[in-house]
């Protein structure tokens, strides 16, 4: 790769492939014409595997050189983030992985069934079907009849263009610009750009107490850790851990704090329409970290989140932490009923 600063490590490239389901496959037909297909693929047994009808165009490509690519647009970056006048700095940040090799037909029925089952698991994660196995009479004919092919993961090249070519101070300014722009994918883009540029200074909006890192976006996998922190709190009585985790993932704004080892030590979330009404929930700091400013940092960050910051009325309920929220302008609702506040609050409880 010409620009080595963008090159993914082999492990990063494979991890990225494993998260992708849609690929472009380029090869040639037997008469040498170019072939380009978009397909669903899955990593199985060190192959990027895909399936097709046995008489399709892809069948003709078996045994031929091919390249399969998966890509993800992380953020479009306007020129104005870097220059007030000149168009040239406009760019996109993205991740892209290419697998070069030869298309091989996978003929072992057990391996074919594994590939088809793996596709089901990523594309129909809710299940609801009998797992595909090669010796199940219900699936035997289908497994035998389909073409399952793959490209061995020998030549995997990944590129993550995430501002690694920028100076540390420019990266910090870029993060701030993404936060201020606040398009739906921007909090996640901030997380990815930051991870790719560990030497960049922390921008002011992510300023945190010593040994703490604030996150404007959390991956779905962090929900279980946050649910564990919330389990047993007085306002979550009667909810299961799975429900608590789902509530984090389903929020419009979800921020967190980690310690130096990367473990979650605090979190806050909000659901918000971005204009009229938002509600903050589940502000939590791990007991060992309380009293050091983490709760305030999380509250500030969730209120500043693009999904919340322009919202006219932000509400929350608390039994005893009024003092914390008063620092951010919260008052008792009876003292200042918000615009459009119903005279009778009604509720439906499942
Ligand atoms: C409430 C909580 C999130 C605060 O987090 P924290 O990291 O300990 O708080 P901080 O260190 O950022 O500071 C909180 C500030 O609010 C004040 N405060 C007022 N009432 C408070 C309360 N009940 N709990 C904690 N802080 C309170 C503190 O005195 C402090 O102000 P100060 O720095 O001027 O003394 C944390 O204690 C916690 O997780 N508690 C259990 C869960 C909970 O009650 N969550 C709130 C539900 S609405």
């Amino acid at each position: 790769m010409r620009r080595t600063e963008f090159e993914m490590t082999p492990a990063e490239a494979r991890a990225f492939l494993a998260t992708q389901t849609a690929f472009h496959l380029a090869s040639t037909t037997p008469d040498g014409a170019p072939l380009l297909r978009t397909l669903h693929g899955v990593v199985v047994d060190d192959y990027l595997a895909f399936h097709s009808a046995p008489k399709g165009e892809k069948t003709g490509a078996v045994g031929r050189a091919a390249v399969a690519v998966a890509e993800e647009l992380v953020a479009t970056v306007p020129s104005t983030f870097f220059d007030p006048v000149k168009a040239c700095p406009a760019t996109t940040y993205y991740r892209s992985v290419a697998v070069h090799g030869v298309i091989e037909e996978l003929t072992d029925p057990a391996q074919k069934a594994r590939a088809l089952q793996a596709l089901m698991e990523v594309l129909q994660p809710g299940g609801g079907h009998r797992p595909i196995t090669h010796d199940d009479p219900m699936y035997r004919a289908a497994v035998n009849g389909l073409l399952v092919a793959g490209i061995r993961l020998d030549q995997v090249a990944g590129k993550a263009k995430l501002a690694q070519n920028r100076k540390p101070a420019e990266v910090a300014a870029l993060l701030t610009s993404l936060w201020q722009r606040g398009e739906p994918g921007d909090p996640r883009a901030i997380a990815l750009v930051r991870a790719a540029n560990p030497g960049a200074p922390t921008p002011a909006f992510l300023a945190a107490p010593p040994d703490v890192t604030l996150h404007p976006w959390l991956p779905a996998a962090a929900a279980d850790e946050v649910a564990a922190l919330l389990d047993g709190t007085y306002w979550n009585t009667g909810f299961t851990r799975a429900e608590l985790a789902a509530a984090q993932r389903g929020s419009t704004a979800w921020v967190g704090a980690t310690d130096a080892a990367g473990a979650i030590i605090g979190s806050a979330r909000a659901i918000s329409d971005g204009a009229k009404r938002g509600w903050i929930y589940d502000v939590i700091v791990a007991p060992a970290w309380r009293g050091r400013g983490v709760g305030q940092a999380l509250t500030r960050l969730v209120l500043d989140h693009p999904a919340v910051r322009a919202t006219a009325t932000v509400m929350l309920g608390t039994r005893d932490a009024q003092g914390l929220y008063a620092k951010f302008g919260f008052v008792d609702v009876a003292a200042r009923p918000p615009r459009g506040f119903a005279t009778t609050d009604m509720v439906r409880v499942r």
Side-chain angles (χ1 to χ4, degrees), residues 233-235 282-286 289-297 316-325 327:
T233 50
Y234 67 85
W235 67 94
D282 288 343
V283 180
I284 188 79
V285 174
W289 287 86
R290 289 178 191 166
R292 305 192 211 178
V294 180
Q296 290 179 74
L316 59 83
T318 183
R319 195 163 68 186
D320 56 14
Q322 291 85 347
L324 164 60
Y325 302 112
K327 291 173 182 289

Side-chain angles (χ1 to χ4, degrees), residues 29-30 35 37 51-62 105 112 144-148:
T29 63
L35 174 76
R37 287 284 172 273
H51 72 300
S52 83
K55 292 219 160 24
E57 216 177 4
K58 278 176 265 170
T59 320
V62 169
E105 181 173 358
K112 288 174 79 173
N144 287 337
L146 280 171
L147 171 80
V148 177

Side-chain angles (χ1 to χ4, degrees), residues 236-253:
N236 283 311
T237 312
F239 290 105
T240 64
R241 282 228 186 158
E243 287 171 324
L244 295 180
Q248 311 308 306
R249 292 191 299 266
S251 297
T252 31

